[in-house]
Amino acid sequence: MVEIEVFSYCNRRCWFCPNSRIDRISKNDYMDPHLYERIMRDLASVNYSKTISYSRYNEPLSDRVILQRLAEARGALPNALLHTNTNGDYLTAAYLRELYHAGLNSLNIQVYLGNDERYDHGKVKQRMSLMVAKLGLPFEMTGDIDNSWVEAQLFYEDMKIRIYGRNFSENGANRGGLVQVRSCESRTSPCLSPFFHLCIDFNGNVVPCCNIRSDAMEHAPYVVATLSRHVNVFQAYADSALVSWRRGLIGFGPKSGVCASCLFGIHEPTQENLQKNRSLTKLIQD
């Protein structure tokens, strides 16, 4: 998955997100359109057919430039899965149609309460019902775990749409130590995110995973590459700094730095996972 942040703005300051203390609301910084075009050309050169996720730490639907960026991606990458996450604040039935016709295949609508409100199962279900009613789409409930998670699938054309609310106190992440949400004393699980994800911030900086962000002072040392005329997505993915991150995260054992207390993407030491781990370890060593 290639995760791209095409602009910086977010309209919320949720307590479980670093945006609660990093300013993403007073202005909107856009990814250089020429840089975005180069990313699309790079991916088109290998007939990329996996996922592009318009995510990171912005609200992707708050600026309608997303429609143009989707259309550009669909033109360059006809077989790619184009996905985004949204808080739903800007989403309407008409906007959904525009997103679909621009090329969006997949949408996650995440149901939030107020910026400082903790999870309330009843309130989240009520807000989710209002959102579903606003969109006027048929739906099917797919999960309802009291005080933890509620989820439904919405049906629109051939688009995959999930709407869900989650208790971040129970299943959130500390975002590389930027928020006091959920952490552990010593992580021993491998993390495979840097193998399968390429995360690109609006400024062109590439970071090892979705929990690290280049506009946080604490995470500035963890930028592994900066895309430019001289550095493409393949060079960024193969950069020695990112290779070092993968080597440090592949085994079962204590992790270091911002990964030491992270609970994101935990892998239990089952026989299947141990075998996968041995295969990846051998691949890296080779």
Side-chain angles (χ1 to χ4, degrees):
M1 179 176 73
V2 178
E3 189 171 352
I4 304 176
E5 188 175 58
V6 295
F7 57 83
S8 66
Y9 178 81
C10 182
N11 65 309
R12 285 178 172 258
R13 289 174 167 163
C14 300
W15 65 271
F16 51 80
C17 174
N19 286 353
S20 59
R21 64 183 187 84
I22 296 175
D23 182 17
R24 283 294 190 95
I25 205 166
S26 64
K27 63 175 182 175
N28 193 9
D29 293 313
Y30 294 87
M31 175 177 279
D32 182 341
H34 299 295
L35 172 59
Y36 181 80
E37 290 171 11
R38 287 198 296 274
I39 295 171
M40 294 301 106
R41 286 200 302 269
D42 288 345
L43 297 175
S45 72
V46 294
N47 298 315
Y48 184 76
S49 60
K50 302 299 182 180
T51 301
I52 295 179
S53 179
Y54 295 89
S55 302
R56 305 293 294 135
Y57 289 91
N58 67 341
E59 167 43 48
L61 303 190
S62 65
D63 192 306
R64 290 172 64 84
V65 73
I66 189 65
L67 296 169
Q68 181 179 346
R69 297 293 172 260
L70 284 167
E72 291 167 349
R74 179 55 67 220
L77 307 167
N79 298 316
L81 177 72
L82 305 185
H83 168 81
T84 194
N85 299 295
T86 178
N87 59 34
D89 291 349
Y90 297 88
L91 188 61
T92 63
Y95 199 178
L96 180 62
R97 285 194 296 273
E98 290 183 272
L99 291 163
Y100 177 76
H101 289 297
L104 192 69
N105 300 100
S106 174
L107 176 66
N108 285 351
I109 306 168
Q110 302 191 45
V111 179
Y112 301 146
L113 300 176
N115 286 340
D116 297 316
E117 280 190 86
R118 269 42 178 183
Y119 186 87
D120 182 293
H121 199 65
K123 287 184 178 180
V124 169
K125 290 179 72 172
Q126 182 181 34
R127 183 170 176 82
M128 191 170 87
S129 296
L130 291 172
M131 174 63 69
V132 172
K134 181 174 74 168
L135 295 176
L137 299 177
F139 69 95
E140 176 184 337
M141 295 298 300
T142 55
D144 191 343
I145 304 172
D146 190 38
N147 200 41
S148 180
W149 195 285
V150 60
E151 181 172 345
Q153 179 181 359
L154 304 183
F155 300 96
Y156 178 73
E157 301 291 349
D158 56 350
M159 183 186 288
K160 180 180 179 181
I161 306 178
R162 295 170 62 212
I163 182 168
Y164 60 93
R166 56 191 283 198
N167 185 346
F168 283 88
S169 295
E170 287 192 354
N171 49 51
N174 69 0
R175 298 298 188 180
L178 293 178
V179 290
Q180 300 299 314
V181 176
R182 206 174 58 108
S183 61
C184 63
E185 292 185 3
S186 178
R187 179 186 177 120
T188 58
S189 166
C191 180
L192 304 185
S193 180
F195 288 86
F196 303 113
H197 300 165
L198 188 69
C199 299
I200 308 170
D201 285 347
F202 68 91
N203 50 21
N205 287 335
V206 177
V207 292
C209 83
C210 64
N211 293 296
I212 295 174
R213 51 189 293 174
S214 63
D215 65 341
M217 180 180 63
E218 299 92 327
H219 289 178
Y222 310 129
V223 174
V224 294
T226 300
L227 298 182
S228 67
R229 291 183 179 179
H230 307 292
V231 179
N232 62 35
V233 294
F234 310 115
Q235 292 167 316
Y237 181 81
D239 190 272
S240 60
L242 196 46
V243 172
S244 295
W245 276 86
R246 297 185 189 111
R247 286 180 172 150
L249 292 172
I250 187 57
F252 281 94
K255 303 300 179 287
S256 61
V258 292
C259 304
S261 62
C262 182
L263 286 170
F264 181 82
I266 293 292
H267 293 258
E268 298 297 333
T270 63
Q271 287 302 314
E272 180 183 3
N273 284 339
L274 287 168
Q275 179 56 47
K276 288 180 180 178
N277 186 257
R278 284 191 289 268
S279 298
L280 284 171
T281 301
K282 185 177 184 301
L283 182 66
I284 288 177
Q285 290 171 344
D286 291 345

